[in-house]
Amino acid sequence: MQDSAWGWLIITYLFLAGAGSGAFIAAVACDLLAPDWSKALARAGSLVSGPLVVIGTLCLVLDLEAGFWQPWRQIYMVNNLRSMISWGFIILSIFIPIALVYAAALNEITFVGKLAQKYITIIEIIGSIFAVATATYTGVLIAVVNGVPFWNTPLMPVLFLASAVSTGLAAAMIVAAIIDVNTIKTLSNFALGHVIFLSVEALVLMLFVFMSLTRSTEAAASAGMLITGILSPYFWGLVVILGLVVPFILSIFEFLEYGKMPKSLVVGADILVLVGGMSIRALIIFSGTHPQIIS
Amino acid sequence: MPRYGIAIDTTKCIGCHSCRVACQNQNSLESNETFNWIKHLDRGRYPSYNKQFIPLQCNHCENAPCQRVCPTGATYTSNEGVVLVNSKTCVGCKYCMEACPYKMRIIDHRRGIVEKCRLCIELVREGGVPACVTTCPTQVRVFGDLDDPNSAISRFIASTGAQPLRPDLGTLPKIFYKRS
Ligand code: SF4
Ligand code: SF4
């Protein structure tokens, strides 16, 4: 009888793959929809997207055992199209190069970037599809696990996508503030984005956790651990208050004050969104309880 | 082709762990590794208190979630209905360990692959029976072909009404339990 086989490496992977694909979506949205002043954010989002997903994927590979020591075994990982890991392998193999080329294009890095600029719209469309696929499949990956009833819900991929978009926007904003100090004023334009995405995420999270209370005994036990049980200080403290409520309030002020908010608070709100995104994934993994098989 | 399974009469189990030790020897496992768990269940209260022992192992599910999620196809079902892991292609992603609702798989860190009960398939192919079955001093375990209505296991299941654990999970296990 084993406890959870997955730990921090998988949690970090789920988080980074989400934030990286979310940053891609944020970058494309800025590049296509928003006017000139948003280009800094598009550039920042594209720069951070690929590397985050690459680091995440490295965590995934580090968690392998025989597949890590004997890397050639990894070619078998596309053998079973009923397995979400096989799909993930395919999706990541396509998304990572697209994200890296997109960063080169928006930031005019080397001749690859110059060449890619000619096909920028195609890259943005196909890349967005694979970014959504990356963010969503990480949720499906755990939603189809029979061993943990708490995870078996179609709300899981929705929650992961919502969290990917808000953490992706946060990652892009932090990088924008680092590479271009003057963007701090324009960042206020995106505070509204945070307000919207954090609300959606909070709504889905609430549905997921509270509906789990009636889904099955095991799901209820897991949800109970989060709401009132042993993990509740982390759930309410890190996910709800620091990860959702505080950045939500800060983003409203950021939007109202428009460019006058201290930089530390702007970036602080974004860091909190990332803390919340990492924490929710850790808590979902650690609260997974398996069916009681004898009674 | 046969469809092998084991029926377990928990009313006769004395919790001696012989099956676990025989299995560890048969499969060259370390003392802290096992494919067999003996769970204790406290029942009733004084003066009718008793303890029930329930041996657990991979159920060789007909509809095995571990096999469905395995990306490499390392987990497969042999044509005797035995769920096995191919040690040459397993990458150690542990997805199967998460997917098994019975939590009957372990990771072998030395070889970097996942392992579990193999129903002693080498012995069985030579006409023998699994080590846990031979070794059990109280003959709790009945091994045989579930598709043959005259086999000892089929007759045991028919006469005792033995059931798999948590059949509601829908994985169609091939280990049956007679409980009291
Ligand atoms: S008991 Fe678990 S490991 Fe064994 S076949 Fe069923 S799902 Fe797979
Ligand atoms: S650990 Fe091995 S047997 Fe299990 S799912 Fe991964 S590749 Fe398949």
Side-chain angles (χ1 to χ4, degrees), chain B residues 57-61 64-66 83 100-102 104-105 116 171:
Chain B
Q57 72 206 80
C58 168
N59 288 289
H60 298 279
C61 306
C66 55
V83 177
C100 170
Y102 297 93
M104 289 298 140
R105 293 180 155 240
K116 61 170 199 65
T171 65

Side-chain angles (χ1 to χ4, degrees), chain B residues 90-126:
Chain B
C90 171
V91 290
C93 68
K94 303 177 279 289
Y95 202 10
C96 54
M97 294 174 68
E98 291 290 350
C100 170
Y102 297 93
K103 291 285 167 287
M104 289 298 140
R105 293 180 155 240
I106 58 170
I107 176 111
D108 172 351
H109 291 294
R110 283 166 302 158
R111 293 196 292 157
I113 59 169
V114 163
E115 281 274 25
K116 61 170 199 65
C117 160
R118 303 180 353 266
L119 226 57
C120 291
I121 193 67
E122 321 74 18
L123 295 180
V124 169
R125 282 179 185 155
E126 286 166 7

Side-chain angles (χ1 to χ4, degrees), chain B:
Chain B
M1 266 304 186
R3 204 168 55 89
Y4 292 127
I6 295 181
I8 295 177
D9 184 349
T10 61
T11 60
K12 292 204 282 185
C13 179
I14 54 170
C16 70
H17 286 70
S18 295
C19 50
R20 168 178 165 144
V21 175
C23 172
Q24 286 171 316
N25 280 314
Q26 176 67 25
N27 293 295
S28 330
L29 301 179
E30 300 280 333
S31 59
N32 60 355
E33 289 173 334
T34 181
F35 300 158
N36 257 312
W37 289 264
I38 320 294
K39 286 286 154 195
H40 299 197
L41 211 59
D42 293 316
R43 294 195 141 186
R45 277 166 173 269
Y46 173 84
S48 56
Y49 168 78
N50 81 2
K51 212 174 187 55
Q52 199 177 58
F53 301 101
I54 302 163
L56 300 171
Q57 72 206 80
C58 168
N59 288 289
H60 298 279
C61 306
E62 203 91 57
N63 178 13
C66 55
Q67 180 175 349
R68 177 173 52 76
V69 303
C70 174
T72 60
T75 293
Y76 66 102
T77 305
S78 79
N79 40 25
E80 302 105 332
V82 180
V83 177
L84 297 170
V85 181
N86 180 341
S87 61
K88 297 206 174 58
T89 53
C90 171
V91 290
C93 68
K94 303 177 279 289
Y95 202 10
C96 54
M97 294 174 68
E98 291 290 350
C100 170
Y102 297 93
K103 291 285 167 287
M104 289 298 140
R105 293 180 155 240
I106 58 170
I107 176 111
D108 172 351
H109 291 294
R110 283 166 302 158
R111 293 196 292 157
I113 59 169
V114 163
E115 281 274 25
K116 61 170 199 65
C117 160
R118 303 180 353 266
L119 226 57
C120 291
I121 193 67
E122 321 74 18
L123 295 180
V124 169
R125 282 179 185 155
E126 286 166 7
V129 296
C132 56
V133 177
T134 344
T135 213
C136 177
T138 54
Q139 298 185 349
V140 162
R141 294 161 177 267
V142 186
F143 172 80
D145 181 1
L146 293 163
D147 277 350
D148 173 1
N150 293 316
S151 64
I153 186 172
S154 297
R155 281 186 278 120
F156 178 87
I157 293 171
S159 63
T160 60
Q163 288 283 326
L165 295 173
R166 291 293 306 264
D168 58 305
L169 296 175
T171 65
L172 305 177
K174 292 202 274 290
I175 307 285
F176 290 77
Y177 290 83
K178 177 188 167 196
R179 305 274 299 273
S180 60

